[in-house]
Amino acid sequence: METLSFEFPAGQPARGKALVGVVGSGDLEVLLEPGQAGTLAIQVVTSVNGAEQRWQQLFERMFREQTPPALNIDIHDFGATPGVVRLRLEQGLEEVGHD
Amino acid sequence: MSRGLNWLQALAGGQALTGYPASVKVVDGSLGKRAARYIAVVPDAGNPFPRARNGEVGLLEGWALGQALDEVIEADRDKADKRVVVAVVDVPSQAYGRREEALGIHQALAGAVDGYARARLAGHPVIALLVGKAMSGAFLAHGYQAQRIIALRDPGVMVHAMGKAAAARITLRSVEELEALAESVPPMAYDIDNYATLGLLWETLSVQNIEQPSADDLARVRDCLQQAAEDIGASTDLQGRLGAPNRAASSKVREMLRAQW
Amino acid sequence: MTDVARLLQSRSFVELGARQRARALLDEGSFRELLDPFARVTSPWLPKQGIVTQADDGVVVAKGTLDGQPAVIAAIEGAFQGGSMGEVGGAKIAGALELAVEDNRNGIPTRAVLLLETGGVRLQEANLGLAAIAEIQAAIVELREYRPVTGVVAGAVGCFGGMSIAAGLCSYLIATREARIGLNGPQVIEQEAGLDEYDSRDRPFIWSLTGGEQRYASGLVDAYVADDADAIRAELHRLFAQGKPPQPRSRRHAWFLQRLADVDIRTQLDAAAVRALYQGDAQ
């Protein structure tokens, strides 16, 4: 198990909070809450060790195209593939956007 | 012979009641000045259910425990002084078998839990005395509904959710790894001293002869049982189990639930 | 309605997570979660063993109304650690039931529903899981005296271990075809008793003995429903409207002991033999 922290530039704080996913095999849980303006802070607790680079790249790719809202995101990962991670994050971002 | 049977006979004296399977011994005796019903599940090589011959709590045992408790609740219904109920606990496991699952052993064990819980709610002081193993579903059915749990201090006295070998297999660890983890994670430990840190026990007692109690042993245990019955007083709940630092989350969750209820 | 139309309309309950299940059963708009995931009360014991926690420890407690009456639902998330009961999740269920007892003592008719999807004790929290289950059982027996406590075993995990005993204490039990209810998991029985006694890989055999349909046919559950949220909600309403059963199943020791005396122990039992033994005046 490993705990990793990431930060990215962000816009204004999101309005709502959201929870998606479950800490089940090949899946992950994502908790999203409004953060400090300008900052997207992500904490990942993962069952898979030594994957910091992979997470970094995945987040960079996601947030390069579009500036995300300011959020504190907690991820509890149980061995999800990058595809599943991206799907859950997109789901979560859509939910906080709707509030 | 078994520890459970030895302690039951020594504490209760008297004859076991008829009308029960040979694996469930029910003896009406006394505790100090009060009337008491002593109950134990014991090995029976002739048990009609082959998977329940070594003291396991199976179909017959679960339902018969329910019967023993129901009987005492009914008989004392209108009495001010309810009999003390003492569960003498030496149960290696629930019964594992095809007949057991097919015939609903979970329902039989629910019968036992139902009996103990209702006896407690009806005002009977219910005490569990751990003289041997108190394992998993067997302990839930026979002892874990007691208001006060007393354990004798002996390597053979243990409380756990699953035997070491099986627990290791299911959590994908070796027995050695499991033992190492138990050193730092008290709820995973098998010994009674670690168990005591969880706050679930009311008292632990040392005795001279765990297999066959001496006169001194009996006096000490009887005295402790009496104190437990007094300590229970008129209470009917399990609140006495909360408060240990190693079980802080159990209290915190309840406080937060109450605040948000 | 054609079968296809019915299938298109139905909302699978089994496919829902614990939170969605609780929401689907409570009256619309009444769902209010207590100790939600953002409260972050998680297992203190799993991180010590290098295991990732879930923010709600796999148990959702929600208040709301059910058929217009005050209700609390405790839903177990089977996908997290097999729905196993640890200290926090166990205390959430026990604590909620204890507060429901208090409500009833104070004249508030809070009813309780347990959505049971669990392998039993979480072995990584062994003795604290077992203790919590004892407290859940204590609270069910107490609450049951005021108001029915209804358990739902929908699947796919089923209901095993100490929590199957808790299921056996409920006033009413609802099961679907996907449900299994048993004390011991198939692998554990095979390990303890051998392959001849129990072949854990023989799924049809295991389903025939412990599946929802068999449990219903042998009187060990009260309702057998389709995997459909509306059907389960309707069944809950119907059972609560009945009030307390005249005698909870767990008090029928005399009847069960009499039946067990008739079991022919020389052979193993199959599903039909169990039904024959337990049918008749079972209901």
Side-chain angles (χ1 to χ4, degrees), chain C residues 180-245:
Chain C
R180 284 176 302 149
I181 303 167
L183 182 64
N184 302 299
Q187 280 106 333
V188 181
I189 303 174
E190 186 186 306
Q191 275 161 16
E192 297 285 333
L195 196 64
D196 284 349
E197 180 82 15
Y198 218 78
D199 183 350
S200 68
R201 276 154 302 175
D202 188 348
R203 291 166 60 86
F205 156 75
I206 287 162
W207 238 270
S208 78
L209 291 184
T210 63
E213 188 179 10
Q214 167 71 2
R215 293 311 197 191
Y216 178 65
S218 35
L220 291 171
V221 305
D222 304 277
Y224 179 59
V225 296
D227 170 25
D228 177 278
D230 293 334
I232 293 172
R233 188 179 337 98
E235 200 55 41
L236 276 177
H237 291 185
R238 186 183 73 81
L239 289 169
F240 277 115
Q242 280 183 13
K244 295 190 289 176

Coordinates of all heavy atoms in Angstrom, one line a residue, chain C residues 180-245:
Chain C
R180 N -27.7 -16.4 -1.4 CA -27.4 -17.7 -0.7 C -27.4 -17.3 0.8 O -26.8 -16.2 1.1 CB -26.1 -18.3 -1.2 CG -26.1 -19.0 -2.5 CD -24.8 -19.4 -2.9 NE -23.9 -18.3 -2.9 CZ -22.6 -18.3 -2.7 NH1 -22.0 -19.5 -2.3 NH2 -21.8 -17.2 -2.7
I181 N -27.9 -18.2 1.6 CA -27.8 -18.0 3.0 C -27.2 -19.2 3.7 O -27.8 -20.3 3.5 CB -29.2 -17.7 3.6 CG1 -29.8 -16.4 2.9 CG2 -29.1 -17.4 5.1 CD1 -31.3 -16.2 3.2
G182 N -26.2 -19.1 4.4 CA -25.6 -20.2 5.1 C -24.6 -19.8 6.2 O -24.1 -18.7 6.1
L183 N -24.4 -20.6 7.2 CA -23.5 -20.2 8.2 C -22.0 -20.2 7.7 O -21.3 -19.3 7.9 CB -23.6 -21.2 9.4 CG -22.7 -20.8 10.6 CD1 -23.1 -19.4 11.2 CD2 -22.8 -21.8 11.7
N184 N -21.7 -21.3 7.1 CA -20.3 -21.5 6.7 C -20.1 -21.4 5.2 O -20.9 -22.0 4.5 CB -19.8 -22.9 7.2 CG -19.9 -23.0 8.7 OD1 -19.3 -22.3 9.4 ND2 -20.7 -24.0 9.1
G185 N -19.1 -20.7 4.8 CA -18.8 -20.6 3.3 C -18.4 -21.9 2.8 O -17.8 -22.7 3.5
P186 N -18.7 -22.2 1.5 CA -18.4 -23.5 0.9 C -16.9 -23.9 1.0 O -16.6 -25.1 1.3 CB -18.8 -23.3 -0.6 CG -19.8 -22.3 -0.6 CD -19.5 -21.3 0.6
Q187 N -16.0 -23.0 0.8 CA -14.6 -23.4 0.9 C -14.2 -23.8 2.3 O -13.4 -24.7 2.4 CB -13.7 -22.2 0.4 CG -13.6 -22.0 -1.1 CD -14.4 -20.9 -1.5 OE1 -15.3 -20.5 -0.9 NE2 -14.0 -20.3 -2.7
V188 N -14.7 -23.1 3.2 CA -14.3 -23.4 4.6 C -14.9 -24.8 5.0 O -14.2 -25.6 5.6 CB -14.9 -22.4 5.6 CG1 -14.5 -22.7 7.0 CG2 -14.4 -21.0 5.2
I189 N -16.1 -25.1 4.5 CA -16.6 -26.5 4.8 C -15.8 -27.5 4.2 O -15.5 -28.6 4.8 CB -18.1 -26.6 4.4 CG1 -18.9 -25.5 5.0 CG2 -18.7 -28.0 4.8 CD1 -20.4 -25.5 4.5
E190 N -15.4 -27.3 2.9 CA -14.7 -28.3 2.2 C -13.3 -28.5 2.9 O -12.9 -29.6 3.0 CB -14.4 -27.8 0.7 CG -13.7 -28.9 -0.1 CD -13.4 -28.4 -1.5 OE1 -14.3 -27.9 -2.2 OE2 -12.2 -28.5 -1.9
Q191 N -12.7 -27.4 3.3 CA -11.4 -27.5 4.0 C -11.6 -28.3 5.4 O -10.7 -29.1 5.7 CB -10.8 -26.1 4.4 CG -10.0 -25.6 3.2 CD -9.9 -24.1 3.3 OE1 -10.1 -23.5 4.4 NE2 -9.5 -23.4 2.2
E192 N -12.6 -28.0 6.1 CA -12.8 -28.6 7.4 C -13.3 -30.0 7.3 O -13.0 -30.8 8.2 CB -13.7 -27.7 8.3 CG -13.3 -26.3 8.5 CD -12.2 -26.3 9.6 OE1 -12.1 -27.2 10.4 OE2 -11.4 -25.3 9.5
A193 N -14.2 -30.3 6.3 CA -14.9 -31.6 6.4 C -14.5 -32.5 5.2 O -14.9 -33.6 5.2 CB -16.4 -31.3 6.4
G194 N -13.8 -31.9 4.2 CA -13.4 -32.8 3.1 C -14.4 -32.6 1.9 O -15.5 -32.2 2.0
L195 N -13.8 -33.0 0.7 CA -14.5 -32.9 -0.6 C -15.8 -33.7 -0.6 O -16.8 -33.3 -1.2 CB -13.5 -33.3 -1.7 CG -13.9 -32.8 -3.1 CD1 -13.9 -31.3 -3.2 CD2 -12.9 -33.4 -4.1
D196 N -15.7 -34.9 0.0 CA -16.9 -35.8 -0.1 C -18.1 -35.1 0.6 O -19.3 -35.3 0.3 CB -16.6 -37.1 0.6 CG -15.8 -38.0 -0.3 OD1 -15.6 -37.7 -1.5 OD2 -15.2 -39.0 0.2
E197 N -17.8 -34.4 1.7 CA -18.9 -33.7 2.5 C -19.4 -32.5 1.7 O -20.6 -32.3 1.7 CB -18.3 -33.3 3.8 CG -19.3 -32.6 4.7 CD -20.2 -33.6 5.5 OE1 -19.9 -34.8 5.6 OE2 -21.2 -33.1 6.1
Y198 N -18.5 -31.8 1.1 CA -18.9 -30.5 0.5 C -18.0 -30.1 -0.6 O -16.8 -29.8 -0.3 CB -19.0 -29.4 1.6 CG -20.1 -28.4 1.5 CD1 -21.4 -28.8 1.9 CD2 -19.9 -27.2 0.9 CE1 -22.5 -27.9 1.8 CE2 -21.0 -26.2 0.9 CZ -22.2 -26.6 1.3 OH -23.3 -25.7 1.2
D199 N -18.5 -30.1 -1.8 CA -17.6 -29.8 -3.0 C -17.9 -28.3 -3.3 O -18.9 -28.0 -3.9 CB -17.9 -30.7 -4.2 CG -17.0 -30.4 -5.4 OD1 -16.3 -29.4 -5.3 OD2 -17.1 -31.2 -6.3
S200 N -16.9 -27.5 -2.9 CA -17.2 -26.0 -3.1 C -17.2 -25.6 -4.5 O -17.6 -24.5 -4.8 CB -16.1 -25.2 -2.3 OG -14.8 -25.4 -2.9
R201 N -16.7 -26.4 -5.4 CA -16.7 -26.0 -6.8 C -18.0 -26.4 -7.5 O -18.3 -26.0 -8.7 CB -15.5 -26.6 -7.6 CG -14.3 -25.7 -7.4 CD -13.0 -26.5 -7.5 NE -13.0 -27.6 -6.5 CZ -12.1 -28.5 -6.5 NH1 -11.1 -28.5 -7.4 NH2 -12.2 -29.4 -5.5
D202 N -18.8 -27.2 -6.9 CA -20.1 -27.7 -7.5 C -21.2 -26.7 -7.2 O -22.0 -26.8 -6.3 CB -20.4 -29.1 -6.9 CG -21.6 -29.7 -7.6 OD1 -22.3 -29.0 -8.4 OD2 -21.9 -30.9 -7.4
R203 N -21.2 -25.7 -8.0 CA -22.1 -24.5 -7.8 C -23.6 -24.9 -7.8 O -24.4 -24.5 -6.9 CB -21.8 -23.4 -8.8 CG -20.5 -22.7 -8.5 CD -20.0 -21.9 -9.6 NE -21.0 -20.8 -9.9 CZ -21.0 -19.6 -9.3 NH1 -20.1 -19.4 -8.3 NH2 -21.9 -18.7 -9.5
P204 N -24.1 -25.7 -8.8 CA -25.5 -26.1 -8.7 C -25.9 -26.8 -7.4 O -26.9 -26.6 -6.9 CB -25.6 -27.1 -9.9 CG -24.5 -26.7 -10.8 CD -23.4 -26.3 -10.0
F205 N -25.0 -27.6 -6.9 CA -25.2 -28.4 -5.7 C -25.3 -27.4 -4.5 O -26.3 -27.4 -3.7 CB -24.0 -29.3 -5.4 CG -23.8 -29.7 -4.0 CD1 -24.6 -30.6 -3.3 CD2 -22.7 -29.2 -3.3 CE1 -24.4 -31.0 -2.0 CE2 -22.4 -29.6 -2.0 CZ -23.3 -30.4 -1.3
I206 N -24.4 -26.4 -4.4 CA -24.4 -25.4 -3.4 C -25.7 -24.6 -3.4 O -26.4 -24.3 -2.4 CB -23.2 -24.6 -3.4 CG1 -22.0 -25.4 -2.9 CG2 -23.3 -23.3 -2.5 CD1 -20.6 -24.9 -3.2
W207 N -26.0 -24.2 -4.7 CA -27.2 -23.3 -4.8 C -28.5 -24.1 -4.5 O -29.4 -23.6 -3.9 CB -27.3 -22.8 -6.3 CG -27.4 -21.3 -6.3 CD1 -28.5 -20.6 -6.2 CD2 -26.3 -20.4 -6.3 NE1 -28.2 -19.2 -6.2 CE2 -26.8 -19.1 -6.2 CE3 -24.9 -20.6 -6.3 CZ2 -26.0 -18.0 -6.2 CZ3 -24.1 -19.4 -6.3 CH2 -24.7 -18.2 -6.3
S208 N -28.5 -25.4 -4.8 CA -29.7 -26.2 -4.5 C -29.9 -26.3 -3.0 O -31.1 -26.5 -2.6 CB -29.5 -27.6 -5.1 OG -28.7 -28.4 -4.3
L209 N -28.9 -26.2 -2.2 CA -29.0 -26.4 -0.7 C -29.2 -25.0 0.0 O -29.9 -24.9 1.0 CB -27.8 -27.1 -0.1 CG -27.7 -28.6 -0.4 CD1 -26.5 -29.1 0.3 CD2 -28.9 -29.4 -0.1
T210 N -28.5 -24.0 -0.5 CA -28.5 -22.7 0.2 C -29.0 -21.5 -0.5 O -29.0 -20.4 0.0 CB -27.0 -22.4 0.7 OG1 -26.2 -22.2 -0.5 CG2 -26.4 -23.5 1.5
G211 N -29.5 -21.7 -1.7 CA -30.0 -20.6 -2.5 C -31.4 -20.1 -2.0 O -32.1 -20.8 -1.3
G212 N -31.7 -18.9 -2.5 CA -32.9 -18.2 -2.0 C -34.2 -19.0 -2.2 O -35.1 -19.1 -1.4
E213 N -34.3 -19.7 -3.4 CA -35.5 -20.4 -3.7 C -35.6 -21.6 -2.8 O -36.7 -21.9 -2.2 CB -35.4 -21.0 -5.2 CG -36.6 -21.6 -5.6 CD -36.6 -22.1 -7.1 OE1 -35.4 -22.1 -7.6 OE2 -37.6 -22.4 -7.6
Q214 N -34.5 -22.3 -2.5 CA -34.6 -23.5 -1.6 C -34.9 -23.0 -0.1 O -35.7 -23.6 0.6 CB -33.2 -24.2 -1.6 CG -33.0 -25.2 -0.5 CD -33.9 -26.5 -0.6 OE1 -34.6 -26.6 -1.6 NE2 -33.8 -27.4 0.3
R215 N -34.3 -21.9 0.3 CA -34.5 -21.4 1.6 C -36.0 -21.0 1.8 O -36.6 -21.2 2.8 CB -33.6 -20.2 1.9 CG -32.1 -20.5 2.0 CD -31.8 -21.7 2.9 NE -30.4 -21.7 3.3 CZ -29.9 -22.8 3.9 NH1 -30.6 -23.9 4.1 NH2 -28.6 -22.8 4.3
Y216 N -36.6 -20.5 0.7 CA -38.0 -20.1 0.8 C -38.9 -21.4 0.8 O -39.8 -21.5 1.6 CB -38.4 -19.3 -0.5 CG -39.8 -18.9 -0.5 CD1 -40.4 -18.1 0.5 CD2 -40.7 -19.4 -1.5 CE1 -41.7 -17.7 0.5 CE2 -42.0 -19.0 -1.5 CZ -42.5 -18.2 -0.6 OH -43.9 -17.9 -0.6
A217 N -38.5 -22.3 -0.1 CA -39.3 -23.6 -0.1 C -39.3 -24.4 1.2 O -40.2 -25.2 1.4 CB -38.9 -24.4 -1.3
S218 N -38.2 -24.2 1.9 CA -38.1 -24.9 3.2 C -38.4 -24.0 4.4 O -38.1 -24.4 5.5 CB -36.8 -25.6 3.3 OG -35.7 -24.9 2.8
G219 N -39.1 -22.9 4.2 CA -39.6 -22.1 5.2 C -38.5 -21.3 6.0 O -38.8 -20.8 7.1
L220 N -37.3 -21.2 5.5 CA -36.3 -20.4 6.2 C -36.2 -19.0 5.8 O -35.4 -18.2 6.4 CB -34.9 -21.2 6.1 CG -34.9 -22.5 6.8 CD1 -33.6 -23.3 6.4 CD2 -35.0 -22.4 8.3
V221 N -36.9 -18.6 4.8 CA -37.1 -17.2 4.5 C -38.6 -17.0 4.2 O -39.3 -17.9 3.9 CB -36.3 -16.6 3.3 CG1 -34.8 -16.9 3.5 CG2 -36.7 -17.2 2.0
D222 N -39.0 -15.7 4.3 CA -40.5 -15.4 4.3 C -41.0 -15.0 2.9 O -42.2 -15.1 2.7 CB -40.8 -14.3 5.3 CG -40.3 -14.8 6.7 OD1 -41.1 -15.5 7.3 OD2 -39.2 -14.4 7.1
A223 N -40.1 -14.5 2.1 CA -40.5 -14.0 0.8 C -39.4 -14.2 -0.2 O -38.2 -14.0 0.1 CB -40.9 -12.5 0.9
Y224 N -39.9 -14.6 -1.4 CA -38.9 -14.9 -2.5 C -39.3 -14.0 -3.6 O -40.5 -14.1 -4.1 CB -39.1 -16.4 -2.9 CG -38.2 -16.9 -4.0 CD1 -36.9 -16.8 -4.0 CD2 -38.8 -17.4 -5.2 CE1 -36.1 -17.2 -5.0 CE2 -38.0 -17.8 -6.3 CZ -36.6 -17.7 -6.2 OH -35.9 -18.2 -7.2
V225 N -38.5 -13.1 -4.0 CA -38.9 -12.0 -4.9 C -37.9 -12.0 -6.1 O -36.8 -12.5 -6.0 CB -38.9 -10.6 -4.3 CG1 -40.0 -10.6 -3.2 CG2 -37.6 -10.3 -3.7
A226 N -38.4 -11.3 -7.2 CA -37.5 -11.1 -8.4 C -36.5 -10.1 -8.0 O -36.6 -9.3 -7.1 CB -38.4 -10.6 -9.5
D227 N -35.4 -10.1 -8.8 CA -34.3 -9.2 -8.6 C -34.8 -7.8 -9.2 O -34.4 -7.4 -10.3 CB -33.0 -9.7 -9.4 CG -32.0 -8.6 -9.4 OD1 -32.0 -7.7 -8.6 OD2 -31.1 -8.7 -10.3
D228 N -35.6 -7.1 -8.5 CA -36.2 -5.9 -9.0 C -36.5 -5.0 -7.8 O -37.1 -5.4 -6.8 CB -37.5 -6.3 -9.7 CG -38.2 -5.0 -10.2 OD1 -38.9 -4.4 -9.4 OD2 -38.1 -4.7 -11.4
A229 N -35.9 -3.7 -7.8 CA -36.0 -2.8 -6.7 C -37.5 -2.6 -6.3 O -37.8 -2.6 -5.1 CB -35.4 -1.5 -7.0
D230 N -38.4 -2.4 -7.3 CA -39.8 -2.1 -7.0 C -40.4 -3.3 -6.3 O -41.2 -3.2 -5.4 CB -40.6 -1.8 -8.3 CG -40.1 -0.5 -8.9 OD1 -39.6 0.4 -8.1 OD2 -40.2 -0.3 -10.1
A231 N -40.1 -4.5 -6.8 CA -40.7 -5.7 -6.2 C -40.2 -5.9 -4.7 O -41.0 -6.3 -3.8 CB -40.3 -7.0 -7.0
I232 N -39.0 -5.6 -4.5 CA -38.4 -5.7 -3.1 C -39.1 -4.7 -2.2 O -39.5 -5.0 -1.1 CB -36.9 -5.6 -3.1 CG1 -36.3 -6.8 -3.8 CG2 -36.4 -5.5 -1.7 CD1 -34.8 -6.8 -4.1
R233 N -39.2 -3.4 -2.7 CA -39.9 -2.4 -1.9 C -41.3 -2.8 -1.6 O -41.8 -2.6 -0.4 CB -39.8 -1.0 -2.6 CG -40.3 0.1 -1.7 CD -40.3 1.5 -2.3 NE -39.4 1.7 -3.4 CZ -39.8 1.6 -4.7 NH1 -41.0 1.4 -5.0 NH2 -38.9 1.8 -5.7
A234 N -42.0 -3.3 -2.6 CA -43.4 -3.7 -2.4 C -43.5 -4.8 -1.3 O -44.4 -4.8 -0.4 CB -44.0 -4.2 -3.7
E235 N -42.6 -5.7 -1.4 CA -42.6 -6.8 -0.4 C -42.3 -6.3 1.0 O -42.9 -6.7 2.0 CB -41.5 -7.8 -0.8 CG -41.7 -9.2 -0.2 CD -43.0 -9.8 -0.5 OE1 -43.6 -9.7 -1.6 OE2 -43.6 -10.4 0.5
L236 N -41.4 -5.3 1.1 CA -41.1 -4.7 2.4 C -42.3 -4.0 3.0 O -42.7 -4.2 4.2 CB -40.0 -3.6 2.3 CG -38.5 -4.0 2.3 CD1 -37.6 -2.8 2.0 CD2 -38.2 -4.7 3.6
H237 N -43.0 -3.3 2.1 CA -44.3 -2.6 2.6 C -45.3 -3.7 3.1 O -45.9 -3.5 4.1 CB -44.9 -1.8 1.4 CG -44.1 -0.6 1.1 ND1 -44.5 0.3 0.1 CD2 -42.9 -0.2 1.5 CE1 -43.6 1.3 0.0 NE2 -42.6 1.0 0.8
R238 N -45.4 -4.7 2.3 CA -46.4 -5.8 2.7 C -46.0 -6.4 4.0 O -46.9 -6.6 4.9 CB -46.4 -6.9 1.6 CG -47.5 -7.9 1.8 CD -47.4 -9.0 0.7 NE -46.3 -9.9 0.9 CZ -46.2 -11.0 1.8 NH1 -47.3 -11.2 2.5 NH2 -45.2 -11.7 1.9
L239 N -44.7 -6.7 4.2 CA -44.3 -7.4 5.5 C -44.5 -6.5 6.7 O -44.9 -6.9 7.7 CB -42.9 -7.9 5.4 CG -42.8 -9.1 4.4 CD1 -41.3 -9.5 4.1 CD2 -43.5 -10.4 5.0
F240 N -44.1 -5.2 6.5 CA -44.2 -4.3 7.7 C -45.7 -4.1 8.0 O -46.0 -3.9 9.2 CB -43.5 -3.0 7.4 CG -42.0 -3.0 7.7 CD1 -41.1 -2.9 6.6 CD2 -41.6 -3.2 9.0 CE1 -39.7 -2.9 6.9 CE2 -40.2 -3.3 9.2 CZ -39.3 -3.1 8.2
A241 N -46.5 -4.1 7.0 CA -48.0 -3.9 7.2 C -48.5 -5.0 8.0 O -49.5 -4.9 8.7 CB -48.7 -3.7 5.9
Q242 N -47.9 -6.2 7.9 CA -48.4 -7.3 8.7 C -48.1 -7.2 10.2 O -48.7 -7.9 11.0 CB -47.7 -8.6 8.2 CG -48.2 -9.2 7.0 CD -47.5 -10.5 6.6 OE1 -46.8 -11.1 7.5 NE2 -47.7 -11.0 5.4
G243 N -47.2 -6.3 10.5 CA -46.8 -6.2 11.9 C -45.9 -7.4 12.3 O -45.4 -8.1 11.5
K244 N -45.7 -7.5 13.7 CA -44.7 -8.6 14.1 C -45.3 -9.9 13.8 O -46.5 -10.2 14.0 CB -44.5 -8.4 15.6 CG -43.8 -7.1 16.0 CD -43.4 -7.1 17.5 CE -44.6 -7.0 18.4 NZ -44.3 -7.2 19.8
P245 N -44.4 -10.9 13.5 CA -44.9 -12.3 13.3 C -45.4 -12.8 14.7 O -44.8 -12.4 15.7 CB -43.7 -13.0 12.8 CG -42.5 -12.2 13.2 CD -43.0 -10.8 13.3

